[in-house]
Amino acid sequence: MKQLKLGLPKGSLEKATIALFESAGWLIKPAARNYFPEIDDPELICSICRPQEMSRYVESGMLDAGITGKDWIMENQSEAVIVSDLVYSKVSRKPTRWIIAVAGNSDIQCLEDLEGKKIATELVNVTTRFFKGKNINVDIEFSWGATEAKVVSGLADAVVEVTETESTIRAHGLRIIHELMESNTQFIANKDAWNDPWKREKIENMSMLLQGSLRADRIVGLKMNVPEGKLQGIVDILPSLNAPTIANLYQTDWFSVETVISEDVVRDLIPKLKKNGAEGIIEYSLNKVI
């Protein structure tokens, strides 16, 4: 039996990734202190590894495909195939950001003020290329963690760190002077695996289902009964992906109307539908929108 070696990210994205695969149709069962979780697909072999290392393993062929961040693909200058973006809306509504920050009371106000200064970061290669492109000479030091604290303790003049809400940055009394880049989760593939017809089809099918699950995250189905005389008025106010589905109710002058809409508009829409003659309104969640 042919099998595809799939890498799943360890750390903050691990639970969200497993949940995403479950909604897409794959049940993954991680085990304590085990980096090879079970999956209910005999065509897949799963491994869990750090996102920082994922692109190297995929590029080398140790893994056929994997999920990691755009930032670590750039850091490793990986030549793996980018299959698709996976913006995990259940984790964050927007991409993460890599920023340059200094102490709140620092005299450093702009990038040029960092000339000759020490910068701590885990994203060493990207940071090096950035400042080289700006012709600003800085001393870049790899940070194993707790990067924000290095400015507070005087071990660095600035940090390049990732943030979603800036809460940790503010908690350490730091001030952002520049945004280096945005990053999001990406599904990547090894070039040889991508050129293998069976593996490519497996990877593309996985990508399609994962994307479908992400699209369905903030979309719901809405179904209702509408009398014939009120039908046009309901259709006029009813949003949909393409057009609502309308069917006659058996031996009546009523219609069943069904649509798929953004979850954000439901709370305002249902009272309007009720006011305009809709009855038996049902809202239901979706697993995938392909």
Side-chain angles (χ1 to χ4, degrees), residues 22-25 208-210 212-216 286-290:
E22 183 174 354
S23 66
M208 177 182 66
L209 294 172
L210 292 171
S213 293
L214 289 172
R215 290 190 196 99
L286 304 171
N287 280 334
K288 301 177 192 68
V289 176
I290 306 296

Side-chain angles (χ1 to χ4, degrees), residues 2 6 18 39 77 146 154 161 210 237:
K2 291 186 176 181
L6 175 67
I18 291 174
I39 185 168
Q77 299 187 67
E161 182 63 320
L210 292 171
I237 64 172

Side-chain angles (χ1 to χ4, degrees), residues 161-221:
E161 182 63 320
V162 67
T163 183
E164 291 184 7
T165 64
E166 300 182 16
S167 58
T168 304
I169 299 295
R170 291 193 296 267
H172 284 84
L174 303 186
R175 171 168 46 87
I176 297 173
I177 64 168
H178 189 79
E179 182 174 312
L180 191 67
M181 63 176 287
E182 285 190 349
S183 178
N184 61 280
T185 311
Q186 295 189 330
F187 188 23
I188 61 175
N190 172 268
K191 285 186 175 181
D192 289 337
W194 191 246
N195 290 327
D196 179 287
W198 182 87
K199 291 183 177 181
R200 180 165 182 163
E201 183 177 11
K202 184 72 174 179
I203 292 168
E204 288 180 331
N205 288 342
M206 290 173 63
S207 177
M208 177 182 66
L209 294 172
L210 292 171
Q211 290 282 0
S213 293
L214 289 172
R215 290 190 196 99
D217 180 41
R218 295 287 291 175
I219 297 176
V220 297

